[in-house]
Amino acid sequence: MTDRISAVSDFMLQLDALKSVNRQTYINGGERVENSAEHSWHLAMACWAFAELLQDDYDVAKLIKLALLHDIGEIGTGDTFLYSSNRDKAHIEERKSVNKIASHPGNPIGSLVELWEEQELGESKEAKLLKVIDRLLPFIHNITSEGRAWQDNNIHKDQVLKMHAFIENENPEIYKWFTTKLEHAVEQGWLNAS
């Protein structure tokens, strides 16, 4: 028993490295950037809340697991900014990192890779909601920080629209809210209109 506890404890320390992965998103209206572990927790809570709000028979336990795992590959790769030119290739290195983490001798979660792949491919109802909320949270942070990350990275309205366009098909109500807030950000000068 002691060896099993030690092995899982070592695995927990490996997962703890996600706290050291900083993102581009500012929290609390611009206080500091968040780390990926904070984002994963926030995403899990937001997915749970939206699942309750939308009342679409989501498997909430699965949804929370997907949210907690979705950025775990960043332990080995770091965060890839949403608007990065490397965005389309980030999943390749993240997948390698996930497989390495899953192979840790103290990992008791047999479905870790399978669940990570599910959230990555986005085919289940839960994975689709996760993708929407994962895009929504940094957007909300940009609104509350008056576009600080957008301005730091010279992001334009058309870039934001492009990266959030899929939401219109997944949830028109959320997309309508998003476009209203986006226009407000442009009007306020937080986001470049061109």
Side-chain angles (χ1 to χ4, degrees):
M1 179 69 153
T2 302
D3 290 341
R4 291 182 344 152
I5 303 288
S6 294
V8 171
S9 295
D10 189 50
F11 179 61
M12 291 299 104
L13 290 175
Q14 183 178 14
L15 295 178
D16 194 62
L18 196 59
K19 294 176 186 175
S20 298
V21 177
N22 286 329
R23 298 168 47 86
Q24 298 286 327
T25 304
Y26 288 92
I27 64 164
N28 296 332
E31 177 182 316
R32 65 172 172 83
V33 293
E34 73 178 339
N35 67 53
S36 287
E38 292 171 319
H39 170 67
S40 295
W41 166 82
H42 198 206
L43 180 60
M45 291 299 298
C47 284
W48 185 6
F50 272 90
E52 296 291 334
L53 175 73
L54 299 173
Q55 297 181 354
D56 193 11
D57 196 31
Y58 291 100
D59 180 341
V60 175
K62 178 180 176 182
L63 182 58
I64 290 171
K65 289 176 185 179
L66 295 176
L68 291 173
L69 285 173
H70 92 288
D71 277 339
I72 203 166
E74 294 180 3
I75 289 173
T77 66
D79 178 55
T80 303
F81 187 47
L82 179 61
Y83 304 101
S84 168
S85 59
N86 299 329
R87 183 79 185 173
D88 292 341
K89 298 177 184 168
H91 66 94
I92 297 167
E93 293 303 314
E94 288 179 11
R95 184 172 279 110
K96 290 177 187 175
S97 180
V98 168
N99 284 318
K100 181 179 177 185
I101 291 163
S103 69
H104 188 283
N107 173 21
I109 306 169
S111 60
L112 192 146
V113 172
E114 176 187 336
L115 288 169
W116 186 86
E117 288 290 347
E118 182 174 342
Q119 69 76 37
E120 188 66 21
L121 298 174
E123 295 303 320
S124 69
K125 179 187 334 189
E126 291 78 15
K128 288 179 180 182
L129 178 61
L130 174 105
K131 295 281 187 201
V132 169
I133 305 306
D134 188 36
R135 291 288 165 88
L136 195 62
L137 290 179
F139 177 79
I140 293 168
H141 283 302
N142 265 300
I143 296 299
T144 62
S145 68
E146 298 181 350
R148 187 164 174 192
W150 290 330
Q151 293 170 16
D152 286 354
N153 294 281
N154 196 30
I155 303 302
H156 300 260
K157 176 185 174 182
D158 61 334
Q159 292 172 281
V160 177
L161 279 170
K162 179 182 176 186
M163 296 307 288
H164 293 75
F166 75 97
I167 297 174
E168 186 172 19
N169 292 329
E170 296 301 329
N171 191 300
E173 182 182 7
I174 291 174
Y175 189 76
K176 183 178 179 184
W177 179 90
F178 156 77
T179 56
T180 300
K181 293 294 185 184
L182 183 69
E183 291 304 325
H184 177 72
V186 170
E187 290 167 9
Q188 296 301 310
W190 304 337
L191 181 63
N192 193 324
S194 59

